[in-house]
Amino acid sequence: RLTGGVRVVYNSGRLPRYRSRYNGGSWAVRSYQAGWRPGRNFLLTSVGIRFDILEQREIYPHLDIGLAGGVFFDAGKTWDDAFPGFDRLESGPGIELLMFAPLIGMARMDAGYNPVRQEFVFHVSNELRF
């Protein structure tokens, strides 16, 4: 079973300091290290395909396990002034492994390839926000 999706987030306007966006890390462009990049404007896109490795099943009453894999391509940017153009977006491809475990929920491990530094960037997180 294959699943796919496209996610686009765009925010235009003044963001309070406590809501500044970051453009790298597990919840943004996964090919870049997490770090704060404040700006009034924020754009994030993600395209991915997921497939089941071990279909989610119950191993004990109310205890389910499952395993899925996927490939993705993320792009995004934060900026203050006029839109910087698509040639300046931070972007990169990668692979992910998703594990559904009892009491934890969905754990996600991402390996994104950073084309600027020519290295892989690894992230581990939960799947609650996607």
Side-chain angles (χ1 to χ4, degrees):
R1 180 177 68 119
L2 290 176
T3 61
V6 176
R7 175 178 62 158
V8 177
V9 177
Y10 174 72
N11 181 45
S12 179
R14 192 62 149 161
L15 289 176
R17 181 72 176 157
Y18 68 89
R19 295 210 40 199
S20 294
R21 303 294 182 158
Y22 55 92
N23 212 35
S26 188
W27 295 109
V29 180
R30 294 171 274 183
S31 300
Y32 287 77
Q33 292 292 336
W36 294 101
R37 291 173 181 84
R40 293 185 334 195
N41 304 303
F42 174 73
L43 173 71
L44 175 63
T45 63
S46 180
V47 176
I49 297 175
R50 291 183 179 166
F51 51 90
D52 285 338
I53 297 172
L54 174 64
E55 190 173 329
Q56 188 173 336
R57 60 188 65 185
E58 190 174 60
I59 59 172
Y60 192 76
H62 308 293
L63 294 177
D64 296 351
I65 63 167
L67 191 62
V71 294
F72 62 83
F73 184 85
D74 296 337
K77 191 73 177 167
T78 59
W79 69 96
D80 277 322
D81 299 324
F83 188 73
F86 289 107
D87 60 330
R88 296 186 186 162
L89 291 177
E90 295 175 343
S91 63
I95 58 174
E96 63 183 350
L97 184 64
L98 300 112
M99 180 181 70
F100 187 84
L103 306 174
I104 297 173
M106 188 68 75
R108 189 174 84 193
M109 293 164 273
D110 302 312
Y113 181 72
N114 187 324
V116 174
R117 293 186 151 182
Q118 297 182 350
E119 66 183 9
F120 280 92
V121 179
F122 299 94
H123 301 283
V124 177
S125 65
N126 63 16
E127 185 68 7
L128 297 176
R129 290 179 54 190
F130 187 77

